[in-house]
Amino acid sequence: MSTINAGNITKGSFIIYKGTPHYVIKTDFMSPGKGSPIMRIKMKSAVTGAASEFTYKSNEQVEVADVTKKDMLFLYSDGSEVVFMDPRTYDQASVPAALVENKIGYLIPNQKCIVLWHDEAAIGVEIPPNVVLTVTEAHEAIAGNRVNAPKKPVKLETGIEIQAPIFIKTGDKISVDTSTGTYLSRVNQ
Amino acid sequence: MKTWEKIKENPSLLEKYLIREKVINSVRSFFSDRLFHEVQTPILVPTPSCEANLEVFQTELKTFSGLKRKAFLIMSPEYSIKKLLSAGIGNCFEITRCFRNDEEISSSHNPEFTMLEWYRINASYLEIMEDFERLFVKIVKDLNPKTDLAKWVYQNRTYDISLPWIRITVSEAFEKFAGVDTEKLLSSKKLIKIAKERGYQVGKRTTWEEIFYQILFNEVEPSLKSTNKPYFLYDYPASQASLSKRKASDPRFAERFEVFLAGIELGNCFSELTDAKEQKARFIKDLKVRREMGKSKIAIDNELIKALSRGMPEVAGIAVGVDRLIMLTGDFPNISDTLFFPAKEIFDLPDT
């Protein structure tokens, strides 16, 4: 069991809160009323996906969840759970959809992801920094201000919409940054 | 991509950044309607505020002929304004830049920020509560005259910001929402015992103050927040008085309030301490704590003590984070969304 100072907890890490692993979604370090510093943590249970908030003393010791990583393939999401498969053993694992947040729109079947494990349970997933997705809808660019806004919205095979350069057409494959949701490049076939 | 580049690429973004200009205009008109003087006090000072838990930006003033002075960027314009109050300026306000070092940059913190302070003479914190709620409502109405105050929206959640806002004392709130009565609240031993029973981490060095704030934020605040109304939490235990004066009717508490909306602290107000001797004693205590905590060395502002001893009128004052006002009234999730040049961006700091 390892611990860290509450003041050093970072967004995206896993801590043990009330005995179960939680995924940290937001941290706020503050000195309330000019008093001694505290660390407010917003998190989601890695087991149920339920959101919690707790305020620690910034110098308090908080248990960190020991996490191991395994490469797995995305299979599908049923809205409440996201299901992955180990390509070597065909074992399946599911993670609460609440933990994958708004990243589901970057996943297509067989997309390789890193699934995070704690005590033999899947508790989270790391999506690759960029993924390649097919454009399913791209309207002709409207003539107009091309100097300042040389972009247009395009729809991708997973249903999400992003801003892409005006030369992108339906059927193109494009690389997308999964942390910012921005267009990176057109991928040559 | 930096904010200025994003705006260049998408000029429609500019509009949301200009909400800042509208909010500041609204603040100025609120106070000029009430005949408050707008003052400008120095940002670079020889003696900054000496709150024990805050860290200051330090620099050095040098003249061409070789004179050197320690210099600091202010954490609040309070000390200078109080000298003006002693001089007899009367009701006044200032909108200025303040700085805090050694803090985490977060959704509600930027190391350089804009502070609004106003001071009302012959008044107490109760009048400042009225000023605050009216100012906030004015800004909201100036930004959008059609806003329904009972259904004001921030980040997809609806709040009732119609007047008056909730006023609740710290001891009422602890009793009602955390089941801690005043006697237990004010006793270090009893409060720490309660904390232990409730599963808070308590060690040898855990202080009353740490537990006070932990119970406040983990038990009291969620209940207050669930009312979906803004609230003034007032009458803090005297140890949290800072620069406020004790209540004449119950000196265990100090005339201080903080105002919260959507879980965000918007302002901190005092019926100002006018007793020079007590102020000096509190400064000495603060400086001692600073030394123990290894914070940068600063001196007592003796000019402020002198100003108090020469007679400052009865006055109440408040410090309000303008960036947070903009964040709330403009419906932004983060302070950095209100700034053209967030510190995180210009200093290339990672997300926390």
Side-chain angles (χ1 to χ4, degrees):
Chain A
M1 181 184 112
S2 52
T3 62
I4 56 166
N5 257 330
N8 294 333
I9 295 173
T10 51
K11 185 171 141 185
S13 65
F14 288 87
I15 59 171
I16 303 292
Y17 173 65
K18 291 191 173 165
T20 56
H22 280 70
Y23 176 69
V24 176
I25 50 177
K26 196 180 171 203
T27 66
D28 229 338
F29 184 91
M30 47 189 185
S31 303
K34 304 176 179 174
S36 54
I38 56 168
M39 190 71 169
R40 176 177 288 189
I41 304 291
K42 284 190 179 154
M43 55 198 148
K44 281 182 177 167
S45 162
V47 181
T48 64
S52 298
E53 196 173 309
F54 192 76
T55 302
Y56 293 95
K57 298 176 273 291
S58 69
N59 57 7
E60 189 168 323
Q61 290 298 303
V62 178
E63 196 182 334
V64 183
D66 295 317
V67 171
T68 52
K69 298 181 175 187
K70 197 197 264 183
D71 283 344
M72 295 184 84
L73 304 179
F74 169 73
L75 286 185
Y76 64 91
S77 167
D78 68 2
S80 67
E81 298 211 303
V82 186
V83 182
F84 298 89
M85 184 186 72
D86 185 329
R88 289 166 296 269
T89 62
Y90 302 109
D91 284 343
Q92 289 189 11
S94 59
V95 172
L99 293 183
V100 189
E101 290 174 332
N102 45 0
K103 305 287 185 202
I104 283 180
Y106 301 119
L107 296 178
I108 50 169
N110 294 321
Q111 171 68 54
K112 200 163 135 189
C113 294
I114 299 168
V115 174
L116 308 173
W117 294 75
H118 172 78
D119 281 350
E120 293 175 15
I123 59 165
V125 58
E126 280 175 9
I127 287 168
N130 46 66
V131 293
V132 173
L133 295 168
T134 306
V135 176
T136 53
E137 225 178 290
H139 296 292
E140 286 299 308
I142 304 150
N145 187 350
R146 293 193 180 192
V147 182
N148 279 323
K151 292 212 168 146
K152 63 176 183 183
V154 299
K155 205 166 181 184
L156 306 179
E157 58 185 309
T158 56
I160 60 167
E161 210 171 73
I162 70 161
Q163 294 289 321
I166 47 179
F167 60 78
I168 294 296
K169 297 184 301 292
T170 303
D172 281 349
K173 285 184 186 298
I174 61 171
S175 176
V176 180
D177 181 323
T178 59
S179 64
T180 59
T182 49
Y183 166 91
L184 291 173
S185 62
R186 180 158 63 176
V187 180
N188 292 327
Q189 305 297 307
Chain B
M1 212 189 310
K2 305 288 188 202
T3 299
W4 68 266
E5 291 173 289
K6 287 184 198 157
I7 294 170
K8 192 171 169 66
E9 189 163 287
N10 182 2
S12 67
L13 288 177
L14 193 57
E15 199 180 334
K16 69 169 201 166
Y17 286 97
L18 294 179
I19 288 178
R20 172 174 291 269
E21 180 184 22
K22 291 180 186 160
V23 170
I24 289 175
N25 284 340
S26 190
V27 169
R28 287 214 159 92
S29 92
F30 181 88
F31 287 108
S32 83
D33 287 349
R34 284 161 179 77
L35 307 176
F36 276 56
H37 289 295
E38 178 166 2
V39 298
Q40 283 191 324
T41 63
I43 289 173
L44 189 68
V45 295
T47 47
S49 9
C50 58
E51 278 101 350
N53 291 292
L54 300 181
E55 190 51 298
V56 66
F57 280 89
Q58 185 172 351
T59 178
E60 189 176 44
L61 174 73
K62 290 180 220 164
T63 67
F64 186 71
S65 58
L67 292 175
K68 289 178 182 175
R69 296 284 185 271
K70 262 190 174 184
F72 302 88
L73 300 181
I74 55 168
M75 298 198 279
S76 148
E78 183 165 9
Y79 293 7
S80 294
I81 296 178
K82 282 187 171 167
K83 290 164 199 163
L84 295 179
L85 288 163
S86 176
I89 193 154
N91 293 348
C92 62
F93 76 101
E94 176 162 18
I95 298 169
T96 188
R97 294 303 179 85
C98 293
F99 302 81
R100 285 182 195 166
N101 212 346
D102 214 3
E103 283 189 0
E104 222 36 77
I105 298 174
S106 71
S107 60
S108 54
H109 286 89
N110 197 63
E112 171 177 355
F113 59 103
T114 303
M115 187 89 106
L116 160 67
E117 294 203 358
W118 73 90
Y119 292 81
R120 219 179 231 289
I121 58 165
N122 304 319
S124 76
Y125 63 158
L126 298 174
E127 282 90 351
I128 304 287
M129 287 184 197
E130 274 182 27
D131 281 341
F132 188 90
E133 59 190 5
R134 287 175 191 174
L135 171 65
F136 193 88
V137 163
K138 176 183 161 60
I139 297 169
V140 166
K141 286 282 188 187
D142 285 353
L143 289 176
N144 179 7
K146 287 185 191 144
T147 308
D148 178 355
L149 297 179
K151 289 182 189 146
W152 176 79
V153 176
Y154 175 66
Q155 296 296 299
N156 302 317
R157 196 165 153 181
T158 305
Y159 297 87
D160 175 5
I161 60 164
S162 60
L163 303 184
W165 292 2
I166 291 172
R167 286 152 168 80
I168 185 166
T169 67
V170 169
S171 55
E172 280 166 4
F174 268 74
E175 173 109 50
K176 195 168 167 187
F177 302 119
V180 174
D181 64 29
T182 305
E183 193 211 331
K184 294 193 185 96
L185 171 66
L186 296 178
S187 151
S188 183
K189 223 173 158 183
K190 286 180 182 158
L191 196 67
I192 287 177
K193 186 169 166 259
I194 288 173
K196 250 187 213 163
E197 287 162 8
R198 296 187 183 179
Y200 290 101
Q201 207 173 90
V202 173
K204 274 187 193 138
R205 290 168 65 188
T206 301
T207 61
W208 172 89
E209 185 196 302
E210 287 172 329
I211 295 300
F212 169 77
Y213 283 107
Q214 257 198 311
I215 295 180
L216 179 64
F217 285 109
N218 287 317
E219 300 181 43
V220 176
E221 197 192 37
S223 304
L224 281 167
K225 210 172 144 186
S226 67
T227 60
N228 287 331
K229 284 203 65 120
Y231 57 92
F232 298 100
L233 190 64
Y234 70 104
D235 285 354
Y236 276 69
S239 64
Q240 303 304 299
S242 196
L243 275 72
S244 61
K245 72 175 173 202
R246 285 166 188 254
K247 273 179 90 69
S249 59
D250 186 351
R252 295 175 301 167
F253 294 94
E255 292 196 358
R256 168 181 166 200
F257 77 72
E258 289 200 299
V259 53
F260 295 86
L261 174 53
I264 295 160
E265 184 240 314
L266 282 174
N268 185 20
C269 165
F270 307 138
S271 292
E272 304 291 347
L273 182 64
T274 50
D275 181 331
K277 259 191 201 155
E278 184 169 351
Q279 185 64 75
K280 191 162 185 182
R282 289 190 199 174
F283 280 165
I284 289 170
K285 208 171 144 195
D286 278 343
L287 292 183
K288 184 170 167 265
V289 178
R290 286 189 71 88
R291 273 196 305 275
E292 286 165 7
M293 295 173 74
K295 302 257 184 212
S296 56
K297 280 183 200 140
I298 54 185
I300 286 185
D301 187 344
N302 284 312
E303 285 294 308
L304 174 60
I305 302 295
K306 190 166 150 194
L308 294 180
S309 65
R310 294 281 295 273
M312 185 171 78
E314 289 303 310
V315 61
I318 184 169
V320 174
V322 173
D323 313 275
R324 292 186 186 178
L325 273 186
I326 297 163
M327 174 172 138
L328 280 162
T329 55
D331 194 16
F332 299 112
N334 298 302
I335 268 212
S336 55
D337 301 325
T338 74
L339 299 164
F340 284 125
F341 300 96
K344 208 163 64 180
E345 189 178 292
I346 57 177
F347 288 101
D348 195 19
L349 295 164
D351 260 329
T352 52

